[in-house]
């Protein structure tokens, strides 16, 4: 028991030192001791082990305040890589990411309505490509997927558009690639990505990220931490019914938020317009067609897009009332509709939320464009740094094998 506690406090101190190094471009041992309130000896011992692990490097001398100039330490940001995977778009997108969140290589595969086993097969294909990208060693895989996810064991409970139900995605990938894998909901991943790598978010602050694309979801950060709710479904606002007797949703209900506010809803409504007489099927109307009509001021398309914005603004008003989180960010394909679309969302939120709460709420576009899900999923994987320390034995194993 006592041994376990000692081990835990050792890990806790190591993580504290590592976090301090992550938070600074360069830093001396003395400054780490001052910030973490650990003794200089403890800090020196931990730094020695981090140097041995090649996670940290000595990169020169700092300014002297009297005595000897202190040696500056920095994170060896290219000493390990993570693979991030975003399954939320019309194409699967993967990237190799370094420890500072820099994207080193990317690839994507169009999904073209494949689901079930076929969609899973695409996941293996895209990951296989990333594994041989030349950035080594890769120490873990972070996946952001649409749908309800039990992230403690990486189980996809239900992802309607991918046709997955109770799919043990993390376990499958772990067994296949022999690496730690983290699977989380795509909107929750986007929220982490924006919080950690977007600009202007204070430490331990609150943030709501709305992911507006084919589906609609939200990710909620409270006190700097991802809030997942009791069942992992916090932010799953897309399948709340907002229109009694509305149109059929892919989840089986009628009148969900997704049937009125999402890109899918817009595509479906645009498909029924006389303006597109050649397209008999709604599937032929895509984002590109709609966007072109929208910027060319096609009145009917504009009406459909702005109606969708109105519904989204209303849903955000409900979130504002429930959580009173003042900073809201919108990411996803639909942000292409730009400031006119955003303005309708803002106006509706202001009119429908309690005015004193609405007054202190800002809604803006995210800063990361298409990388927030990838970055967020890998950031969650890194959360206690343990994946960074699994490499030594893996490397040893690799070298012994040759
Ligand atoms: Zn639904």
């Amino acid at each position: 028991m006592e041994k376990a506690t000692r081990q835990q406090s050792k890990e806790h101190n190591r993580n504290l030192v590592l976090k301090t190094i992550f938070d600074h471009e360069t830093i001396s041992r003395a400054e780490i001791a001052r910030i973490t309130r650990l003794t200089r000896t403890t800090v020196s011992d931990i730094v020695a082990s981090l140097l041995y692990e090649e996670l940290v490097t000595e990169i020169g001398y700092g300014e002297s305040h009297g005595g000897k100039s202190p040696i500056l330490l920095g994170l060896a940001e290219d000493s390990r890589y993570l693979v991030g995977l975003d399954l939320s778009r019309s194409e699967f997108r993967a990237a190799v990411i370094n420890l500072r969140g820099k994207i080193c290589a990317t690839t994507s595969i169009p999904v073209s309505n494949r689901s079930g086993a076929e969609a899973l097969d695409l996941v293996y294909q895209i990951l296989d490509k990333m594994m041989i990208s030349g950035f080594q060693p890769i120490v873990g895989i972070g996946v952001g997927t649409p749908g309800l996810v039990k992230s403690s064991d990486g189980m996809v409970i239900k992802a309607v558009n991918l046709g997955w139900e109770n799919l043990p995605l993390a376990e499958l990938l772990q067994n296949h690639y022999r690496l730690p894998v983290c699977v989380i909901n795509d909107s929750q991943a986007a929220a982490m990505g924006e919080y950690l790598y977007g600009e202007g978010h204070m430490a331990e602050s609150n943030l709501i990220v709305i992911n507006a694309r084919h589906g609609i979801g939200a990710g909620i950060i409270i006190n700097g931490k991802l809030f997942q709710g009791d069942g992992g479904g916090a932010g799953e606002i897309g399948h709340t019914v907002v229109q009694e007797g509305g149109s059929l949703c892919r989840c089986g209900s009628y009148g969900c938020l997704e049937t009125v506010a999402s890109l899918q809803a817009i595509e479906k409504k645009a498909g029924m317009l006389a303006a597109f007489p050649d397209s008999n099927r709604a599937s032929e109307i895509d984002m590109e067609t709609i966007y072109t009509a929208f910027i060319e001021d096609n009145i009917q398309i504009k009406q459909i897009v702005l109606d969708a914005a109105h519904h989204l603004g209303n849903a955000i008003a409900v979130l504002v009332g429930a959580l009173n989180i003042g900073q809201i960010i919108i990411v996803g394909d639909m942000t292409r509709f730009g400031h006119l679309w955003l303005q309708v969302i803002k106006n509706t939120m202001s009119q429908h939320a309690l005015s004193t709460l609405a007054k202190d709420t800002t809604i803006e576009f995210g800063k990361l464009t298409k990388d927030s899900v990838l970055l967020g999923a890998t950031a969650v994987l890194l959360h206690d740094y343990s994946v960074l320390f699994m490499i030594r034995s893996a490397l040893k194993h690799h070298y012994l094998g040759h």
Side-chain angles (χ1 to χ4, degrees):
M1 184 73 191
E2 199 186 313
K3 201 176 163 195
T5 318
R6 216 163 38 223
Q7 184 61 32
Q8 276 168 3
S9 95
K10 230 172 125 180
E11 240 168 65
H12 173 83
N13 290 347
R14 182 198 73 193
N15 290 353
L16 210 57
V17 170
L18 201 44
K19 182 177 186 310
T20 313
I21 294 171
F22 261 91
D23 287 347
H24 293 79
E25 192 106 353
T26 63
I27 191 166
S28 69
R29 288 171 177 79
E31 207 164 333
I32 295 172
R34 190 179 58 74
I35 292 170
T36 59
R37 297 176 178 207
L38 295 169
T39 66
R40 290 212 182 193
T41 321
T42 305
V43 170
S44 288
D45 287 350
I46 293 171
V47 167
S49 76
L50 296 176
L51 287 167
Y52 172 74
E53 298 273 355
E54 293 167 19
L55 249 176
V56 165
T57 46
E58 294 185 330
I59 42 182
Y61 291 92
E63 231 176 89
S64 156
H65 299 286
K68 254 188 347 184
S69 305
I71 297 171
L72 292 179
L73 304 162
L75 181 71
E77 60 182 59
D78 289 303
S79 62
R80 285 134 175 90
Y81 298 93
L82 303 157
V83 169
L85 183 55
D86 178 358
L87 306 181
S88 72
R89 310 173 148 258
S90 50
E91 50 176 31
F92 288 170
R93 188 156 180 273
V96 177
I97 297 165
N98 83 0
L99 298 182
R100 284 265 183 235
K102 189 181 141 209
I103 302 214
C104 304
T106 60
T107 185
S108 55
I109 299 186
V111 184
S112 16
N113 292 325
R114 267 171 286 195
S115 64
E118 282 184 340
L120 182 60
D121 197 50
L122 289 183
V123 171
Y124 287 118
Q125 279 181 37
I126 197 167
L127 286 175
D128 285 348
K129 270 197 199 171
M130 290 287 89
M131 292 300 155
I132 54 164
S133 70
F135 295 92
Q136 297 293 334
I138 286 165
V139 297
I141 302 167
V143 184
T145 174
L148 192 58
V149 180
K150 193 174 161 216
S151 57
S152 54
D153 53 9
M155 173 79 88
V156 181
I157 309 288
K158 198 175 172 87
V160 185
N161 59 343
L162 293 174
W164 291 345
E165 218 173 314
N166 295 322
L167 178 75
L169 186 57
E171 192 187 321
L172 290 172
L173 299 179
Q174 244 152 28
N175 292 340
H176 190 87
Y177 295 103
R178 303 266 154 215
L179 287 172
V181 177
C182 155
V183 177
I184 69 166
N185 169 273
D186 59 341
S187 302
Q188 294 179 357
M192 280 308 282
E194 280 293 336
Y195 180 75
L196 291 169
Y197 298 107
E199 292 153 37
H201 314 303
M202 315 262 283
E204 292 176 25
S205 60
N206 306 320
L207 177 70
I208 295 176
V209 172
I210 305 286
N211 198 4
R213 50 195 155 71
H214 259 92
I216 303 273
I220 302 162
I221 306 282
I222 295 178
N223 293 333
K225 295 204 170 59
L226 183 63
F227 176 75
Q228 294 182 292
D230 288 335
E236 274 290 284
I237 56 173
H239 297 286
T240 302
V241 174
V242 295
Q243 203 171 53
E244 292 285 346
S247 35
L248 178 65
C249 180
R250 56 199 171 123
C251 76
S253 293
Y254 289 85
C256 292
L257 180 63
E258 283 193 13
T259 67
V260 291
S262 68
L263 184 56
Q264 199 177 179
I266 292 174
E267 286 174 358
K268 202 168 158 195
K269 282 180 191 162
M272 293 188 287
L273 286 181
F276 298 108
D278 297 336
S279 2
N280 296 319
R281 290 177 304 135
S283 63
E284 287 171 25
I285 308 283
D286 60 6
M287 174 76 191
E288 220 44 57
T289 325
I290 291 166
Y291 180 69
T292 308
F294 182 75
I295 54 168
E296 284 172 356
D297 265 341
N298 177 310
I299 293 171
Q300 286 171 302
I301 289 292
K302 225 166 164 177
Q303 190 61 47
I304 289 173
V305 171
L306 298 182
D307 269 354
H310 177 82
H311 284 290
L312 188 55
N314 198 23
I316 293 175
V318 175
L319 285 175
V320 168
L323 296 164
N324 184 22
I325 289 178
Q327 198 178 19
I328 297 176
I329 278 178
I330 305 187
V331 300
D333 301 333
M334 290 180 82
T335 55
R336 254 186 101 184
F337 292 121
H339 287 275
L340 188 57
W341 177 75
L342 181 64
Q343 197 54 49
V344 172
I345 294 172
K346 284 180 174 176
N347 292 349
T348 312
M349 186 281 289
S350 297
Q351 287 156 13
H352 292 197
L354 185 65
S355 63
T356 39
L357 298 182
K359 185 166 61 59
D360 297 327
T361 303
T362 60
I363 306 180
E364 294 171 301
F365 287 140
K367 303 282 193 298
L368 301 178
T369 57
K370 48 188 190 172
D371 299 324
S372 55
V373 173
L374 297 170
L375 288 169
T378 49
V380 171
L381 182 71
L382 261 184
H383 82 284
D384 69 350
Y385 304 121
S386 59
V387 297
L388 300 177
F389 297 93
M390 294 178 188
I391 192 65
R392 181 71 43 187
S393 58
L395 276 180
K396 226 180 260 164
H397 186 77
H398 178 79
Y399 289 136
L400 285 175
H402 286 75

